[in-house]
Amino acid sequence: NPEAYRDAAIAGIRSFLGVSKGEPIPAEKIEAVKMGTTVATNALLERKGVPTVLVTNKGFRDVLRIGYQNRPDIFARHIVKPELLYSHTIEADC
């Protein structure tokens, strides 16, 4: 939401590290910052590049795997789900 944050990346870093607005961000705690772009999104969807990790709130590890319960044949006994876009999941305490 561009209207909510002057710099969403910095706001996200502050939130993740628990650093209040106005306090200096401890650079020694940051190894890398990677942001998605159209190029990155396309690489993810085409399954090109390095394996991806999903970071989600504790208890939501399987939400994307479960997905919606809508399917073309509701009574199908063999359900084929699409391949996940990530190889590992990390659950974070938020």
Side-chain angles (χ1 to χ4, degrees):
N1 182 357
E3 292 80 33
Y5 303 102
R6 186 173 146 249
D7 188 335
I10 295 296
I13 291 168
R14 287 187 179 284
S15 175
F16 187 76
L17 295 177
V19 176
S20 299
K21 189 174 182 178
E23 288 182 56
I25 296 174
E28 67 277 1
K29 291 188 174 185
I30 302 170
E31 182 177 324
V33 175
K34 299 180 182 184
M35 296 182 64
T37 63
T38 302
V39 172
T41 301
N42 288 344
L44 176 67
L45 295 174
E46 294 169 2
R47 277 124 173 124
K48 295 178 180 175
V50 299
T52 307
V53 173
L54 170 69
V55 179
T56 186
N57 293 357
K58 190 174 236 52
F60 289 89
R61 167 185 294 272
D62 298 318
V63 167
L64 293 180
R65 182 73 190 132
I66 294 168
Y68 297 104
Q69 293 303 309
N70 58 342
R71 47 190 181 268
D73 183 357
I74 193 73
F75 299 108
R77 295 176 68 198
H78 179 68
I79 301 166
V80 179
K81 292 190 172 204
E83 182 183 343
L84 294 174
L85 297 175
Y86 50 90
S87 58
H88 301 288
T89 307
I90 297 172
E91 291 183 278
D93 289 320
C94 294

